[in-house]
Amino acid sequence: MFKWFFKIFNKSSKSFSVEEQDSMKKFLIVGLGNIGEKYKNTRHNIGFKILDHLASKNDLKFETQKLGDLTSFKFKGRTFILLKPSTYMNLSGKSVVYWLTKEKISLENLLVVTDDLNIPFGTLRVKTKGSDGGHNGLKDIQEKLNTTNYNRFRFGISDAFGEGKQVDYVLSDWTDEEEGKLLERLDKSIEIIKSFGTAGIKHTMNDFNGR
């Protein structure tokens, strides 16, 4: 399943075929969330919300395909494929692996957008690797990819919940105060995604982490 990834990683840039060079200009942006109207505005679905916001800004419409809803757009010579897995959060890895393989996208061109309750609300952080942090979606992606070395964009939702209330908290809707601050954070999230594909992961981390 990962022959394409290994083929890309083991070749020098001078030996890339035209097809492989084109594939290096494709990026898979995966927003994590749960399908269904009852989950639409929950904290756990910020990955979906960010991709929906990006799609609306570019007049894009998602189409239901195998294991997810997808759309794509081009920006500065790059192709961004947006994926919202339809497997539910805990099985996100199945959809990620399928579309990486189908589109022949290298692992370094994958960005997973997810909520993170370990950082304050609205804090934006991009990382090249890390643990799942107790996040079931990231845990499944890690298991399916067999590595923790993949890019992730974490959107802070804070940990403002009482003991034993974590599940209720992440699956609850945003407060009115949070809603009032979301739009600016969603716009900044779009900038991060575009920067990832055009400037690269390291520049994106330097330019946006903590902002």
Side-chain angles (χ1 to χ4, degrees):
M1 182 174 292
F2 295 101
K3 288 182 179 179
W4 176 263
F5 301 144
F6 295 131
K7 184 178 181 182
I8 291 292
F9 293 152
N10 291 332
K11 294 181 71 172
S12 69
S13 59
K14 293 182 180 179
S15 62
F16 287 141
S17 68
V18 173
E19 180 187 10
E20 289 165 345
Q21 290 178 34
D22 288 343
S23 76
M24 293 178 69
K25 295 179 181 179
K26 289 201 299 186
F27 298 83
L28 183 64
I29 314 299
V30 182
L32 297 188
N34 287 307
I35 59 174
E37 191 64 28
K38 69 176 181 178
Y39 297 111
K40 185 176 182 179
N41 201 41
T42 63
R43 295 180 176 89
H44 216 25
N45 265 41
I46 189 62
F48 278 16
K49 195 174 188 71
I50 289 172
L51 264 57
D52 284 338
H53 189 64
L54 175 54
S56 69
K57 288 286 187 177
N58 290 273
D59 296 322
L60 306 173
K61 291 186 178 180
F62 283 92
E63 294 184 0
T64 298
Q65 300 189 44
K66 184 172 182 179
L67 301 177
D69 291 347
L70 289 95
T71 190
S72 66
F73 70 99
K74 292 184 182 295
F75 179 71
K76 292 187 177 180
R78 274 70 167 181
T79 298
F80 293 78
I81 298 173
L82 310 182
L83 167 64
K84 298 190 297 182
S86 58
T87 52
Y88 286 101
M89 184 71 78
N90 294 2
L91 297 174
S92 299
K94 183 176 182 181
S95 180
V96 171
V97 170
Y98 175 81
W99 284 103
L100 277 176
T101 304
K102 180 176 176 59
E103 293 294 333
K104 296 183 178 180
I105 297 174
S106 66
L107 192 58
E108 66 187 47
N109 284 7
L110 166 69
L111 180 66
V112 176
V113 185
T114 181
D115 61 298
D116 193 321
L117 51 76
N118 296 307
I119 54 179
F121 167 78
T123 298
L124 309 176
R125 289 185 184 165
V126 181
K127 296 183 66 177
T128 59
K129 59 183 178 180
S131 69
D132 58 61
H135 192 289
N136 289 330
L138 295 182
K139 181 179 180 180
D140 191 62
I141 291 171
Q142 173 182 322
E143 290 177 351
K144 296 296 192 301
L145 293 176
N146 196 31
T147 181
T148 60
N149 296 329
Y150 63 90
N151 306 308
R152 70 283 308 272
F153 166 21
R154 302 185 296 157
F155 188 105
I157 62 171
S158 84
D159 59 354
F161 55 88
E163 184 177 355
K165 299 294 185 179
Q166 178 175 327
V167 173
D168 292 337
Y169 177 75
V170 300
L171 293 180
S172 62
D173 289 354
W174 303 99
T175 66
D176 290 341
E177 181 180 0
E178 289 169 336
E179 283 278 8
K181 299 176 180 178
L182 266 180
L183 182 58
E184 185 273 335
R185 295 286 83 187
L186 292 175
D187 287 341
K188 187 66 66 177
S189 297
I190 291 177
E191 292 181 33
I192 288 176
I193 290 171
K194 289 182 175 179
S195 174
F196 168 69
T198 57
I201 186 69
K202 290 184 178 180
H203 284 293
T204 302
M205 291 168 64
N206 291 334
D207 290 344
F208 291 95
N209 278 356
R211 287 177 56 185

